[in-house]
Amino acid sequence: MKVYVILLGLFWAPFGATDDAGPTEQPPAEQPQQPEERSVGTLLDDETTVEMHDDTTLLRDVRSGGIKGSGLLVFDAFRFWVGGAIQYDYYNFDGIYNSSSEGARREGGSMRRFEGILRSQLYDWGEIKAQYDFDRGNFRDLYLRWVSKRKDTPLTITAGNQKEPLGLDNLIGNKSGIAQERSAPSYAFGSRRSLGVRLHKAFELAPEKRKFDYWKEDVAYMTTSVGVFTSDLDDTHDTDIAVTGRVTAGRVKQGTGTHVGISTSYREGQYYRVSMRPEVNEADRVTLAQPDGNTLGLLAFEAAYNRGPLHIQAEAYTASYRGRVRGYGVGGYVQGGWYLTGESRTYQPRWGVLAPHAPSRNYAVEIFTRLSHTRGDDEINGWNDFKSLTLGGNLYYRKLRFSANVLYGESREPIITESDGIAVNLRVQYLL
């Protein structure tokens, strides 16, 4: 437990003293409210989400049909929104993507995601969320979140099944990411959804408050997230207990966003492989190393940039497995996208994420590329790596999204008998 206390102190103690000195916001005088808003506050924040599917930030201003304050109001205390998501894939791949069948070509269709979502605003202090996958029969998110009323330095406490604050790719997820799936290194090292308690806080870094004047006169934000976690509701990963934290810094100036961040996690459990799904959901898992560890240390660095139709993000991971057979893992990716129709992805510095594409009545067309590399090593079998190149595009119309990904992957040593392959994946997505 001493390790957990030290990590909590590193992420929280340096920042806790800055919140009680600032002035408290006063509500505007003589601002009439609609009758339905007597107990259920809007918790409105211009820097946060307006989409029910953006689970990395807050409910605050969920909109239905573009009308703020909608949703079902119950007992003048709870406001409910109901939605869901459907993803259906067509896949066609061979080689390393189908190594268990000696590289034979495989094609077909599958339901990638069929889920329902219930989010509810509770009085004016927080929210609950339940996200259930009907196809797999499990909860992805099931949590209660308390939200502070300080808009200048937001604070949240989230308890329940949720994403751990580990890596930008993991937090954005595959509903909002430009590629259909998270990168291979993100899957191998940063894809964690667990049961636990997490604190998130943002700090406004005005010029007079920061020691380094990198952003000159712009207002920037730092975020800190730290949580204690165990395995998720369905016990899909072999973690007994973990402490995970993330720190980011970023700013937006005239529509241009700049972001940097670092994440770390100390984990205890059973860790016996360095493996990932090679960026196609129906493809075979690729195992690069086979450690036998009872502790795992993870460290991740991230950066992102958006300006006009251009958006770029990159991450690098390192992992250390300790136990009977030691192992190591490293990986990273870089990806860039461009809206041919002139739209832009918004960066949210208070939460340290890129916002999802904003639905509109116009078509939007986006093209992108991603290059990733993942390596695993253990003391008995040596090392192997996997490289992947993805080219793709997305067509958006309102809440519909059509996407196509073409992938080429190769490994240093054969996976069973295969060392490279090509995959094509088509997807239609609808967000209710």
Side-chain angles (χ1 to χ4, degrees):
M1 287 304 296
K2 186 179 294 184
V3 175
Y4 307 145
V5 173
I6 292 172
L7 282 172
L8 285 168
L10 286 174
F11 273 88
W12 205 251
F15 307 105
T18 62
D19 186 41
D20 53 5
T24 303
E25 288 191 8
Q26 299 297 325
E30 304 298 329
Q31 281 278 336
Q33 290 186 331
Q34 297 179 0
E36 63 176 6
E37 297 292 346
R38 287 196 303 271
S39 296
V40 184
T42 60
L43 295 173
L44 181 61
D45 185 339
D46 292 337
E47 299 297 330
T48 192
T49 186
V50 293
E51 284 298 318
M52 127 173 291
H53 296 275
D54 186 2
D55 57 4
T56 60
T57 60
L58 302 178
L59 183 63
R60 294 200 174 192
D61 189 22
V62 170
R63 303 186 184 209
S64 175
I67 304 173
K68 191 182 82 174
S70 61
L72 176 64
L73 185 68
V74 179
F75 301 128
D76 200 27
F78 306 93
R79 189 184 300 281
F80 292 94
W81 292 266
V82 178
I86 299 172
Q87 293 175 336
Y88 188 83
D89 288 1
Y90 165 80
Y91 53 86
N92 189 320
F93 50 75
D94 63 6
I96 198 171
Y97 296 96
N98 195 23
S99 56
S100 63
S101 299
E102 298 184 348
R105 181 165 298 279
R106 192 199 314 174
E107 68 172 321
S110 67
M111 184 68 70
R112 173 66 178 90
R113 185 187 294 262
F114 180 50
E115 67 185 18
I117 302 174
L118 172 68
R119 296 184 78 165
S120 174
Q121 193 171 311
L122 307 177
Y123 291 93
D124 60 353
W125 63 265
E127 63 166 313
I128 59 173
K129 180 183 179 184
Q131 180 177 334
Y132 187 79
D133 190 322
F134 293 100
D135 185 52
R136 289 171 172 77
N138 63 344
F139 280 99
R140 295 181 184 270
D141 288 337
L142 184 62
Y143 60 68
L144 169 68
R145 176 177 285 160
W146 174 81
V147 184
S148 74
K149 297 181 181 180
R150 291 291 302 272
K151 295 182 180 181
D152 55 340
T153 55
L155 168 66
T156 69
I157 300 175
T158 306
N161 210 60
Q162 59 189 288
K163 289 182 179 179
E164 294 185 33
L166 184 62
L168 188 62
D169 201 15
N170 176 53
L171 291 174
I172 293 175
N174 77 341
K175 285 189 292 187
S176 303
I178 59 177
Q180 292 172 0
E181 301 294 340
R182 288 183 290 263
S183 69
S186 298
Y187 190 101
F189 307 119
S191 178
R192 310 282 176 176
R193 190 180 242 108
S194 307
L195 187 65
V197 179
R198 175 171 63 95
L199 286 75
H200 173 94
K201 190 169 185 179
F203 303 86
E204 182 179 328
L205 300 179
E208 64 273 12
K209 294 182 180 180
R210 56 183 184 250
K211 297 180 180 179
F212 302 100
D213 201 21
Y214 176 78
W215 285 295
K216 297 182 180 179
E217 296 182 358
D218 303 332
V219 174
Y221 286 91
M222 174 176 284
T223 75
T224 60
S225 294
V226 63
V228 179
F229 302 94
T230 182
S231 190
D232 64 358
L233 291 176
D234 294 292
D235 199 26
T236 57
H237 56 78
D238 299 318
T239 294
D240 296 327
I241 192 165
V243 177
T244 303
R246 179 174 182 251
V247 176
T248 72
R251 67 102 166 99
V252 177
K253 180 182 180 183
Q254 298 177 349
T256 298
T258 306
H259 166 89
V260 292
I262 182 172
S263 306
T264 186
S265 183
Y266 172 79
R267 317 180 72 81
E268 295 182 355
Q270 281 294 316
Y271 308 102
Y272 57 90
R273 63 185 177 183
V274 179
S275 69
M276 75 286 172
R277 198 77 63 182
E279 305 182 13
V280 177
N281 185 61
E282 291 294 326
D284 293 337
R285 182 186 292 269
V286 174
T287 298
L288 302 174
Q290 294 179 305
D292 186 358
N294 51 33
T295 66
L296 169 60
L298 294 168
L299 184 64
F301 301 92
E302 62 189 64
Y305 175 83
N306 74 294
R307 181 175 182 178
L310 173 68
H311 44 277
I312 301 171
Q313 71 182 57
E315 290 186 75
Y317 293 87
T318 180
S320 178
Y321 303 81
R322 293 289 182 267
R324 193 173 66 88
V325 178
R326 291 191 174 190
Y328 306 91
V330 294
Y333 73 90
V334 59
Q335 68 183 34
W338 183 273
Y339 280 101
L340 299 179
T341 45
E343 286 79 6
S344 178
R345 290 210 172 212
T346 303
Y347 172 59
Q348 298 170 325
R350 293 190 186 193
W351 312 105
V353 292
L354 290 169
H357 172 80
S360 71
R361 296 178 180 271
N362 299 320
Y363 289 97
V365 179
E366 177 184 40
I367 58 173
F368 74 92
T369 185
R370 178 168 70 192
L371 181 64
S372 69
H373 176 246
T374 312
R375 171 173 167 162
D377 189 355
D378 68 68
E379 293 177 322
I380 296 177
N381 302 300
W383 67 276
N384 198 4
D385 68 357
F386 177 79
K387 303 180 184 72
S388 179
L389 172 65
T390 304
L391 302 175
N394 299 301
L395 171 64
Y396 303 91
Y397 178 66
R398 298 190 179 182
K399 297 184 178 183
L400 271 171
R401 171 181 171 180
F402 302 92
S403 58
N405 289 188
V406 179
L407 306 94
Y408 172 75
E410 66 176 20
S411 62
R412 172 180 172 269
E413 298 292 337
I415 305 299
I416 305 180
T417 61
E418 302 301 317
S419 58
D420 64 0
I422 295 177
V424 176
N425 208 71
L426 308 178
R427 173 174 296 171
V428 57
Q429 171 179 289
Y430 183 73
L431 304 180
L432 288 76

